């Protein structure tokens, strides 16, 4: 039994969703089960310091007012998620779902692959000419972007992300060798920009931190 199987058998699985944020028809959407304990959130900060003798790791400071000068600057990487999810068509197959009986979880796996596939931003006409090999090559060059996805889980969490990697381990198969159960590790990068989803997340995080500071002050003064 894998570590993921052991954890999910002991803990309750929750529902999560990834869906494409777009006005195009045929939006990508993936519903899945996961255990919150299988989410790893990572934020990396690179500190820029000098190489002067006696200042390894940062400049000198003596007081809190001088502390900000200890670094010459920082580079903050976007927050990333690594999470393990479970795709399983067993219940649907047992309920007589004809699609699951034939295709298992293949549609969900294809959605994941599509979420990793860059999209062309060309006009329809340019796409056709490019596909036919007609027209000026530079004029038909593709402007490709990754799909913007919204990662939703729980009652409060809804973040804009890019999917940057997917590792799929198929566990169970139909007689046709089409998988109907798989464990998938997804890597997601948060889009930390001026967008409605990250703005709400920033506000939520700020209010939560302020509440914690207030609580600590009240405990310190015995209020």
């Amino acid at each position: 039994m894998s570590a993921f199987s052991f954890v999910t058998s002991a803990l309750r699985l929750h529902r999560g969703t990834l869906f494409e944020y777009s006005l195009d028809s045929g939006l990508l959407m993936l519903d899945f089960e996961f255990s919150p304990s299988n989410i790893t959130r990572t934020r990396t900060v690179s500190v820029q310091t000098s190489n002067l003798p006696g200042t390894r790791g940062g400049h000198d400071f003596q007081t809190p007012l001088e502390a900000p000068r200890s670094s010459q600057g920082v580079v903050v990487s976007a927050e990333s998620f690594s999470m393990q999810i479970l795709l399983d068509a067993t219940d649907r197959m047992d309920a007589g779902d004809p699609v699951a009986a034939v295709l298992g979880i293949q549609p969900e796996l294809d959605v994941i692959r599509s979420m990793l596939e860059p999209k062309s931003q060309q006009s329809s006409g340019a796409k056709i000419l490019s596909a036919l090999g007609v027209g000026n090559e530079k004029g038909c060059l593709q402007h490709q972007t990754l799909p913007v996805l919204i990662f939703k889980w729980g009652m409060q969490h809804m973040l804009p992300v890019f999917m940057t990697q997917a590792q799929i381990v198929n566990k169970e198969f139909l007689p046709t060798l089409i998988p109907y159960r798989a464990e998938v590790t997804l890597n997601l990068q948060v889009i930390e920009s001026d967008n409605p989803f990250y703005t709400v997340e920033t506000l939520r995080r700020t209010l939560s931190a302020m509440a914690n500071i207030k609580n600590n002050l009240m405990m310190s003064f015995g209020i």
Side-chain angles (χ1 to χ4, degrees):
M1 179 180 290
S2 69
F4 181 59
S5 298
F6 176 78
V7 170
T8 54
S9 64
L11 298 177
R12 177 186 173 190
L13 293 177
H14 293 260
R15 302 295 301 183
T17 303
L18 280 166
F19 62 91
E20 185 179 6
Y21 188 61
S22 173
L23 295 177
D24 293 340
S25 60
L27 295 181
L28 300 171
M29 179 175 289
L30 178 70
D31 290 317
F32 52 86
E33 293 182 326
F34 74 106
S35 170
S37 64
N38 285 321
I39 292 183
T40 300
R41 301 179 70 162
T42 303
R43 180 180 291 279
T44 302
V45 178
S46 299
V47 183
Q48 300 174 2
T49 61
S50 70
N51 293 319
L52 295 176
T55 60
R56 291 186 298 272
H59 287 284
D60 298 337
F61 63 91
Q62 302 298 325
T63 69
L65 292 176
E66 297 176 339
R69 76 180 190 185
S70 60
S71 70
Q72 295 179 329
V74 295
V75 177
V76 182
S77 300
E79 184 178 11
S80 62
F81 284 77
S82 177
M83 57 184 298
Q84 292 177 303
I85 68 173
L86 177 67
L87 300 178
D88 195 340
T90 303
D91 290 342
R92 286 176 285 152
M93 292 164 56
D94 291 342
D97 186 326
V99 175
V102 175
L103 297 179
I105 58 168
Q106 191 61 55
E108 290 94 326
L109 297 180
D110 290 337
V111 166
I112 291 175
R113 293 187 178 99
S114 296
M115 288 178 171
L116 285 164
E117 188 71 23
K119 289 190 171 185
S120 171
Q121 299 300 308
Q122 292 175 290
S123 66
S124 299
K127 290 179 182 178
I128 294 174
L129 290 175
S130 179
L132 295 175
V134 178
N136 183 284
E137 182 180 357
K138 291 184 179 180
C140 292
L141 287 177
Q142 295 183 356
H143 176 206
Q144 294 185 323
T145 61
L146 272 180
V148 172
L149 307 174
I150 306 302
F151 175 32
K152 181 180 183 303
W153 80 105
M155 298 296 294
Q156 301 182 9
H157 302 286
M158 186 177 290
L159 287 173
V161 298
F162 293 123
M163 185 182 295
T164 57
Q165 187 179 57
Q167 184 178 21
I168 300 168
V169 180
N170 294 320
K171 293 294 185 178
E172 303 290 343
F173 299 84
L174 297 170
T176 56
L177 296 185
I178 292 177
Y180 66 84
R181 188 174 187 276
E183 295 170 2
V184 183
T185 301
L186 299 178
N187 290 339
L188 309 173
Q189 177 186 300
V190 179
I191 304 172
E192 299 182 359
S193 64
D194 185 14
N195 63 73
F197 301 98
Y198 193 68
T199 298
V200 171
E201 170 64 14
T202 301
L203 178 61
R204 183 203 63 77
R205 188 175 61 207
T206 301
L207 292 176
S208 178
M210 289 175 62
N212 183 64
I213 292 173
K214 180 180 178 180
N215 183 60
N216 288 338
L217 289 173
M218 293 176 65
M219 293 180 63
S220 298
F221 290 98
I223 300 176

